Amino acid sequence: MSNFQYFMPTKVFCGKDIISKNKSLFGNYGKKAFIITGKNSSKINGSLEDVINALNESEIEYCIFNNVEENPSIETVETAVEIGRNEKVDFLIGIGGGSPIDAAKAIGILINNPEYNGYDIFTAPPLASLPLIAVPTTAGTGTEVTPYAILTDNKARTKRNFGQKVFPEIALLDASYLMNTPDNITINTAVDALSHLIEGYLSIKSNLLSDSAAEKGLLLFWECIDALKDKDFSFEIREKLLLSSTLGGIVIAQSGTSLPHGMGYALTYSKNIPHGKANGLLLKSYLELCGNNPKVKNILSILELNSLDKFGQFILNLVVKDCSVTEAEIRNYTKSMISNTSKLKNHPGEVTEKDIYEMYITSLL
Ligand code: NAP
Ligand code: ZN
């Protein structure tokens, strides 16, 4: 228990009006910012305007790339990198869900290392990024406190981690930006956060500190269960979901994710199933696979779902099992997952091809 490392260097600030209250921080990272965001939501929820006001008041120049799609591709990253290099930006501000913040991590690496381009990022040695400030507007990925960025690799026809490590310098959390999130996005992202807490807690790389974060994150999630069932999201609930997501990020920054994430990427790439929903559909069968681990009992007890069946019903109440996947497709996904050593190694114990196949079958058919 005492033999572990813990590293999470991101400074986290949380509260209403957190951007304007901390606008003096932006000047620490340079004279020109590159804002990376999605197509619409940051304009609507006020986060983009708050960042622009803070930059103007601090007399920091900026340019904006607002074309990051869900599950961002390397091609999108390349387009933004070209703009950022021409504009000679000093630092990045990623605003939005996991997609723009992850894209910003890759963009920061490639702007800072002009000898590398696009797909090189997966195979390059460890590289330093430009500084990144993260403003999450979904409560799911926890990317504001993880070193990972999940990109769509159209050559390998899947999603994968970019192989670099970029912790944001600062994470600015204000649940006000999440107030008008549509129910389906709120729920899918909350299930993503739950998956991080569960996979990270069960990971072979978990330790005392990540377990403390996971247990607190699960407790916060439990406090939101009725709101999730009723789709009734007050500011307090939004803030709890956001903090549970950030705790999930703190957990997986240490422990990584494992089977549900590795197996879910194929569903997102080939069936367009949102990331959180894909994980959620696989979670109950993953807990069954981990049945002998005493931590499974802890998870169910914190969530006050006293059996795996109750857990399964709770998840299926949130995410509908409506994906049309064939048995032949499942055999292909299984083959690809059994070679995904980066995810398999985080599971405590051996996993066979049959285990993965059966997890897919019981979860999806
Ligand atoms: P997302 O793909 O960033 O965004 C999903 C949708 O939500 C978009 O349509 C977006 O609109 C909208 N949206 C964002 N904030 C909103 C708000 N406040 N109100 C209304 N709509 C809002 O979703 P995500 O689930 O946060 O991120 C998923 C990505 O993160 C996946 O690629 C996943 O693999 C990755 N991920 C990364 C990590 C990590 O540690 N790096 C961990 C888990 C998952 P706009 O496009 O208009 O902004
Ligand atoms: Zn995730």
Side-chain angles (χ1 to χ4, degrees):
M1 177 181 277
S2 57
N3 188 13
F4 65 85
Q5 292 180 15
Y6 180 88
F7 182 63
M8 205 301 283
T10 305
K11 294 186 198 101
V12 179
F13 298 78
C14 179
K16 271 188 181 159
D17 300 320
I18 204 69
I19 292 178
S20 68
K21 284 181 186 156
N22 291 285
K23 56 177 180 270
S24 63
L25 293 173
F26 290 78
N28 295 339
Y29 300 101
K31 294 189 167 59
K32 187 159 187 180
F34 193 14
I35 298 173
I36 308 295
T37 189
K39 292 190 172 93
N40 299 305
S41 67
S42 63
K43 271 185 231 135
I44 298 166
N45 64 38
S47 52
L48 180 61
E49 189 180 351
D50 286 354
V51 166
I52 289 174
N53 287 342
L55 293 172
N56 284 337
E57 284 166 32
S58 310
E59 297 183 352
I60 296 171
E61 279 184 75
Y62 63 88
C63 53
I64 304 178
F65 181 81
N66 61 353
N67 210 11
V68 179
E69 75 278 37
E70 291 181 40
N71 307 300
S73 65
I74 287 287
E75 290 74 14
T76 297
V77 166
E78 282 176 320
T79 307
V81 166
E82 198 180 329
I83 297 169
R85 283 180 184 159
N86 289 338
E87 294 278 346
K88 302 201 177 353
V89 298
D90 299 315
F91 66 104
L92 293 100
I93 305 173
I95 311 175
S99 296
I101 297 175
D102 281 6
K105 292 178 182 180
I107 294 162
I109 289 264
L110 292 174
I111 293 177
N112 204 33
N113 296 277
E115 65 277 32
Y116 294 99
N117 284 300
Y119 281 86
D120 298 343
I121 202 162
F122 292 118
T123 48
L127 301 169
S129 171
L130 292 181
L132 169 65
I133 295 173
V135 181
T137 68
T138 58
T141 71
T143 183
E144 66 276 10
V145 289
T146 76
Y148 316 121
I150 314 299
L151 302 175
T152 296
D153 177 344
N154 285 313
K155 290 187 183 165
R157 299 182 57 76
T158 188
K159 293 174 58 173
R160 57 182 177 129
N161 185 31
F162 71 162
Q164 301 290 330
K165 289 200 166 124
V166 180
F167 278 104
E169 298 286 326
I170 300 180
L172 296 166
L173 315 185
D174 184 342
S176 316
Y177 303 132
L178 284 80
M179 287 313 294
N180 295 315
T181 312
D183 291 343
N184 64 328
I185 296 178
T186 302
I187 287 171
N188 290 335
T189 49
V191 172
D192 187 25
L194 178 66
S195 315
H196 299 155
L197 293 163
I198 290 178
E199 288 173 55
Y201 190 50
L202 295 171
S203 163
I204 199 156
K205 291 199 269 176
S206 63
N207 62 46
L208 180 85
L209 297 183
S210 67
D211 281 355
S212 311
E215 286 168 5
K216 183 64 190 175
L218 286 166
L219 205 55
L220 284 175
F221 190 91
W222 167 75
E223 291 178 34
C224 301
I225 280 184
D226 287 341
L228 286 164
K229 282 188 197 153
D230 300 342
K231 302 186 175 60
D232 180 13
F233 304 109
S234 62
F235 178 85
E236 287 67 31
I237 290 289
R238 294 270 183 207
E239 192 167 68
K240 280 180 188 173
L241 287 171
L242 184 56
L243 288 170
S244 146
S245 161
T246 301
L247 283 165
I250 286 172
V251 171
I252 62 169
Q254 314 306 314
S255 65
T257 53
S258 60
L259 269 61
H261 267 71
M263 294 169 65
Y265 290 156
L267 300 177
T268 301
Y269 189 86
S270 48
K271 299 285 166 181
N272 214 15
I273 298 176
H275 171 67
K277 174 172 172 171
N279 299 331
L281 290 172
L282 295 156
L283 266 185
K284 182 196 170 202
S285 61
Y286 186 56
L287 288 177
E288 270 163 354
L289 185 73
C290 300
N292 295 333
N293 188 330
K295 282 180 165 175
V296 171
K297 227 174 167 185
N298 295 354
I299 293 166
L300 297 179
S301 139
I302 295 171
L303 297 175
E304 287 191 11
L305 296 164
N306 296 326
S307 66
L308 281 175
D309 281 342
K310 285 230 164 73
F311 179 88
Q313 280 157 17
F314 164 67
I315 294 284
L316 288 183
N317 196 1
L318 297 182
V319 295
V320 184
K321 188 164 146 178
D322 56 1
C323 37
S324 53
V325 179
T326 64
E327 201 267 343
E329 286 169 326
I330 286 180
R331 267 188 270 124
N332 283 340
Y333 302 158
T334 302
K335 285 224 154 32
S336 127
M337 182 62 204
I338 200 68
S339 55
N340 186 347
T341 46
S342 68
K343 295 290 178 208
L344 291 174
K345 73 177 178 352
N346 295 338
H347 175 77
E350 214 185 312
V351 183
T352 64
E353 199 164 327
K354 186 162 171 275
D355 292 329
I356 295 171
Y357 175 81
E358 281 174 2
M359 256 183 82
Y360 271 128
I361 294 282
T362 47
S363 302
L364 304 178
L365 295 186

